[in-house]
Amino acid sequence: MDQQQPPPPTPNAPPPSSAVDPPPQPQPQPQIQQQTTPTPPSSTSSTAIPNPNPNPIPKPLPSAIPPPQQPPQPKPALPSHQPRPAAAFSRPWQQHSSQFTHFSSSSPSASSSPSPSLSSQPRGSIALGVPSSHSGPSPPSPSPSQSTPFTGSFGHSFGGTSSSNVSQARPMMRGIGMGSSVGSSSQMRPGGISAQHQQRPLQSSLRPTSSPTSQSPSTQNFQGHGLMRVSAVGSSSSTPSTLQTLQTPQSPNQPWLSSGAQGKPPLPPPWHRPQLRAHIPQQHHSLQTVSQQQHVSSPQVPPQNISSIQQQEHFEQQFSQSRASQSLPHQQQDSRSQGSANQKPSSLAMVQPSTVQVTQNKAAITESDDSGGRILSKRSIHDIVNQIDPSEKLDPEVEDILVDIAEDFVDSITTFGCSLAKHRKSDTLEAKDILLHLERNWNLTLPGFSGDEIKTYKKPITNEVHKERLAVIKKSILAREAANAKHIIGQTAVNTKGNVGKAAANILGSPNVKIREVS
Amino acid sequence: MINPSTGPSSKAKVQHMMYGFGDDPNPLPETVTLVEEIVVEYVTDLAHKAQDIGSKRGKLSVEDFLFLIRKDLPKLNRCTELLSIQEELKQARKAFEVDEDKLATLE
C-alpha cells in the first residue's frame, strides 16, 4: 500500500512541513521515507524522515501499497531472519520503518496480523526459542515512550523511546523474515501490531491512517504513551505529535509492511525512530522521539538508516523487554503474557530514552543480522571480546549467534520475571523478580541489588520414616558389633594363638566401617 | 550491613581489608557496600551449606567447613594453618596455666 510510501515520504516530503501532515502523501512519503529513514528523526512531530532515498522506496511501496492491511505481507515474505540482506532492502525498509509508524498506526489490525507472523517467523528462525513472534506484531506500538525502558537492562541506551514500539518492532524486525510476518502484521492484529507500526510511522511523521483507529484503541491499551501513538495512528494520530507520525494512513504503513517483504523486517514504526532521534538523526524523525518515546533510540545511527531503524525498533522492543525487568509496569507484564513484548518496551522506552536509541542505532548498524530490533549490537560483542583478549577475532556468524543468544536470554528472563511479578500480585516488575529467577534457574547471583535482605536458612526436611530406619540400622550394627566382640574375645581366650587376635581385629574393623557408612 | 558490633563498623573493617588487598585507602562508599554485601552473602551461603552437611552427621563441625572449601586450595591451606596455630596457642596457654598451678602447689 501506500503506507509504506507515505510514511517515508512523509518525513521527507513533509519534513519541511514537519507539522507532519503526512496524511495526504502516501506516495511522496514512501519516497521520503527512504530518504528520511536514514535521517534522524527530528523532533518534529511529523517525523519527517529526511531520508534521501525516496526513490528506492516508491518502488517497493507501490507493490506493498495495494493492500492496505497487508503491507507487511510482502515484507514478511522475506526470510524470517534475513538480516536485511541487501542494502537496498534496508533502505526501503528504513523508509518503511517510517512508513511503519504510520503503518502501525494506520492499520493496527493489519499490523497486528503481520506482526504476529513476523514475530513468529523471526523468532522461529532463532532456535533459541525466543518468543519473537509474539512481541513483534502484536503490540502495535505500545508506546513510543516505552522504548526507553529498553535501555535499562542492557545498558544500551535504548532510551525506551518506544519500548512498546520496540517490542513491537522487535517482533517485526526479528526475523527479517519478518517481511512475511510483516505482511501478516499488516493485516494486523488490531492494536497489537498497529501499535508497533504506529510507533514507527510516528517517526516518519506518517500520519497513521485513521483506519487503524480501531487499532489505536487497542494499542492504547498497551501502554499509554506508546499506544497513544498507536491510537493516533488509528484515529488519525490525533494524539501527540508523535502520534502524528503514526497518523500516516495505515495504508501507507501497510504497504510498507507488505513491502517489508523487500527484505527488511518491518522496523518498528518510525515512531521508534523518532525516539532514536537523538542518536539516529536520520531515523528519528522527531516524530515521536520527542516526548513519548524515548525510544530506546539507541545512538546507533544505523549506517543504513532504514535498516538500522528497523533494527533499532526491534532492538527497542527487545530492549524494552529487558528493561521491563527494571521496573516495568504491570501492563507490560500483561503485554508479555499476551505475547506482545512490545508493550513492555513501550513502557521501558519511557524509562530510558537515550539508551534505547543507542541500542537501536547499534542495531541498525548490524543490519546484516536479522531483525533490526536487536538489543545487543555487534559492536558490543566486539567490545566484550576485546576485554577478554584484544587479539581475538570472531567469525561473523559467531557474532550473529551471540547476539541472538543474548536477545533470547533477555527475552526469557524478562518473561519469567514478569510472570513472577504477576505471581506476586503486583503490576510492577521489580529487581527481586529478576534476581529470584536468575538465582534459582540460572544460578547467577548479582550482588548489589538485593537491598541487604538476609537469606534465611531452611533446615533440610527429613522424613520421620527415614530417621527411624537409620536408628534401627544403627542399633543392629551396634548389637552385631558387640556380639562379635564378645565372640572374638571368647575365641581369643580359648585360642591363645595370635591369629585369632588378628581375625578379631579384622572383624571389629568391618563393623565400624559399616556403621560409618550408615551414618 | 547487618551485624551490630561495637568498635570499628563492619564497613570500616571491610575497607581496611580492601586496602590490604591493594585497593585505594579511601575507596568509594558504594564499592565498600558492594564488597561487604558480597562477603556477607558468601559467608551466609557457606554456613547454610555447612549446616546441610552437618545435619547429616548430626552436628555442625569445623570439618564441614573445611570440606566445603576443599576445592579452593589457598583458602583451605590458610584455614588449616590458622587452625593449627589455634591449637598451638591452646597448648601454650594450657602449659602456662599448668606452670602456675605447679608453682602454686609447690609453694
Side-chain angles (χ1 to χ4, degrees):
Chain A
M1 268 196 56
D2 293 351
Q3 285 183 356
Q4 298 174 349
Q5 295 177 354
T10 45
N12 296 334
S17 57
S18 74
V20 189
D21 292 340
Q25 313 153 357
Q27 305 201 348
Q29 289 178 357
Q31 302 180 356
I32 297 173
Q33 260 196 356
Q34 291 185 350
Q35 299 173 348
T36 55
T37 51
T39 58
S42 56
S43 57
T44 58
S45 59
S46 61
T47 67
I49 303 176
N51 283 347
N53 319 329
N55 299 333
I57 298 200
K59 294 174 191 174
L61 293 173
S63 59
I65 292 176
Q69 300 184 345
Q70 312 167 347
Q73 286 181 354
K75 287 200 175 173
L78 289 179
S80 54
H81 263 293
Q82 296 180 359
R84 312 211 215 175
F89 275 106
S90 59
R91 290 272 209 67
W93 195 260
Q94 289 179 352
Q95 295 176 1
H96 291 306
S97 58
S98 61
Q99 292 174 349
F100 223 76
T101 53
H102 49 244
F103 167 80
S104 60
S105 61
S106 61
S107 55
S109 60
S111 59
S112 60
S113 58
S115 56
S117 60
L118 275 179
S119 57
S120 58
Q121 289 189 359
R123 297 291 179 131
S125 60
I126 303 176
L128 297 175
V130 174
S132 59
S133 58
H134 69 50
S135 59
S138 56
S141 74
S143 52
S145 56
Q146 292 181 354
S147 57
T148 48
F150 256 133
T151 54
S153 59
F154 271 87
H156 293 281
S157 46
F158 251 129
T161 39
S162 46
S163 57
S164 59
N165 294 341
V166 175
S167 58
Q168 292 176 355
R170 182 157 60 98
M172 304 200 296
M173 305 224 325
R174 278 233 107 348
I176 303 214
M178 303 207 9
S180 58
S181 58
V182 175
S184 59
S185 63
S186 58
Q187 291 186 357
M188 315 205 266
R189 263 204 260 188
I193 299 187
S194 57
Q196 295 179 351
H197 297 295
Q198 290 180 355
Q199 293 176 349
R200 293 244 194 122
L202 284 179
Q203 294 185 352
S204 57
S205 67
L206 299 171
R207 292 302 156 85
T209 52
S210 52
S211 57
T213 50
S214 63
Q215 299 178 351
S216 55
S218 59
T219 56
Q220 287 176 350
N221 297 337
F222 283 108
Q223 301 283 341
H225 55 258
L227 293 179
M228 305 258 306
R229 291 216 274 166
V230 174
S231 61
V233 173
S235 57
S236 64
S237 65
S238 55
T239 58
S241 63
T242 58
L243 285 175
Q244 290 178 357
T245 56
L246 289 179
Q247 297 201 352
T248 54
Q250 291 191 353
S251 60
N253 295 341
Q254 293 179 352
W256 173 75
L257 284 178
S258 55
S259 62
Q262 301 187 358
K264 289 235 108 175
L267 282 175
W271 165 98
H272 283 283
R273 286 188 279 180
Q275 296 178 353
L276 298 181
R277 267 192 306 193
H279 301 275
I280 305 176
Q282 347 164 353
Q283 302 185 350
H284 301 308
H285 294 287
S286 57
L287 284 184
Q288 312 177 343
T289 52
V290 181
S291 49
Q292 308 174 354
Q293 317 159 345
Q294 307 214 332
H295 275 307
V296 214
S297 53
S298 46
Q300 316 168 343
V301 179
Q304 309 178 5
N305 303 335
I306 298 173
S307 56
S308 60
I309 294 176
Q310 293 174 352
Q311 287 181 351
Q312 294 176 353
E313 293 180 344
H314 283 290
F315 247 85
E316 291 175 341
Q317 290 176 355
Q318 296 172 349
F319 218 79
S320 58
Q321 290 184 355
S322 57
R323 300 286 159 103
S325 60
Q326 298 196 347
S327 54
L328 276 181
H330 184 59
Q331 294 176 359
Q332 293 180 348
Q333 294 176 5
D334 288 343
S335 60
R336 260 194 168 277
S337 57
Q338 296 175 8
S340 54
N342 300 337
Q343 294 182 351
K344 287 200 288 193
S346 55
S347 61
L348 288 172
M350 294 172 60
V351 174
Q352 304 162 0
S354 59
T355 50
V356 173
Q357 294 181 354
V358 176
T359 42
Q360 283 194 354
N361 290 336
K362 285 188 185 176
I365 293 175
T366 56
E367 233 183 71
S368 56
D369 36 38
D370 66 312
S371 68
R374 296 200 153 252
I375 297 173
L376 201 63
S377 70
K378 293 210 172 169
R379 177 154 291 171
S380 322
I381 301 277
H382 279 298
D383 291 341
I384 292 171
V385 168
N386 275 343
Q387 286 178 10
I388 298 170
D389 185 357
S391 62
E392 186 74 29
K393 282 178 192 171
L394 290 178
D395 289 339
E397 293 136 358
V398 171
E399 291 169 3
D400 287 341
I401 293 273
L402 286 174
V403 172
D404 281 347
I405 290 172
E407 288 175 8
D408 287 345
F409 177 73
V410 170
D411 204 3
S412 66
I413 295 281
T414 326
T415 308
F416 201 91
C418 286
S419 38
L420 283 178
K422 199 171 175 185
H423 185 268
R424 227 179 357 107
K425 292 170 195 152
S426 152
D427 59 355
T428 310
L429 182 64
E430 291 174 8
K432 51 185 172 184
D433 300 318
I434 303 290
L435 286 169
L436 181 67
H437 175 52
L438 285 175
E439 185 186 337
R440 283 271 163 176
N441 301 111
W442 290 86
N443 199 20
L444 290 170
T445 44
L446 299 170
F449 288 102
S450 68
D452 296 351
E453 296 153 357
I454 300 186
K455 206 167 125 190
T456 55
Y457 174 71
K458 292 171 195 170
K459 242 187 160 184
I461 301 166
T462 53
N463 284 341
E464 288 299 323
V465 180
H466 183 63
K467 284 183 195 165
E468 288 171 11
R469 289 196 191 129
L470 286 176
V472 168
I473 291 170
K474 268 188 192 169
K475 282 180 199 168
S476 68
I477 287 177
L478 286 170
R480 198 196 307 175
E481 197 173 325
N484 286 347
K486 285 180 189 172
H487 179 65
I488 288 165
I489 290 168
Q491 285 184 351
T492 50
V494 173
N495 301 336
T496 55
K497 291 177 186 177
N499 297 342
V500 177
K502 286 178 191 169
N506 291 340
I507 295 167
L508 282 171
S510 56
N512 293 338
V513 172
K514 280 184 201 167
I515 290 170
R516 276 190 219 112
E517 288 171 1
V518 169
S519 61
Chain B
M1 278 200 266
I2 317 126
N3 310 329
S5 60
T6 57
S9 70
S10 56
K11 287 229 164 91
K13 290 180 190 167
V14 169
Q15 193 167 336
H16 294 324
M17 277 197 257
M18 283 165 69
Y19 175 60
F21 277 97
D23 197 359
D24 191 82
N26 285 328
L28 280 176
E30 290 86 1
T31 311
V32 176
T33 308
L34 180 66
V35 171
E36 187 186 0
E37 186 176 338
I38 293 171
V39 167
V40 168
E41 189 184 333
Y42 175 75
V43 172
T44 310
D45 186 54
L46 202 66
H48 287 177
K49 286 188 186 152
Q51 177 66 46
D52 286 341
I53 295 173
S55 64
K56 288 189 186 137
R57 289 188 189 277
K59 211 177 165 187
L60 188 62
S61 81
V62 178
E63 288 296 321
D64 300 325
F65 283 96
L66 291 175
F67 172 76
L68 285 170
I69 57 175
R70 68 193 184 283
K71 296 274 173 72
D72 191 347
L73 277 174
K75 279 206 199 84
L76 183 65
N77 290 335
R78 178 69 179 153
C79 275
T80 47
E81 183 186 346
L82 288 171
L83 286 168
S84 63
I85 288 173
Q86 192 187 25
E87 284 300 316
E88 283 183 24
L89 287 172
K90 253 196 225 169
Q91 296 291 332
R93 285 196 204 105
K94 196 174 169 189
F96 188 63
E97 285 179 8
V98 169
D99 289 342
E100 282 187 352
D101 290 342
K102 279 183 185 170
L103 290 170
T105 54
L106 282 173
E107 292 173 7

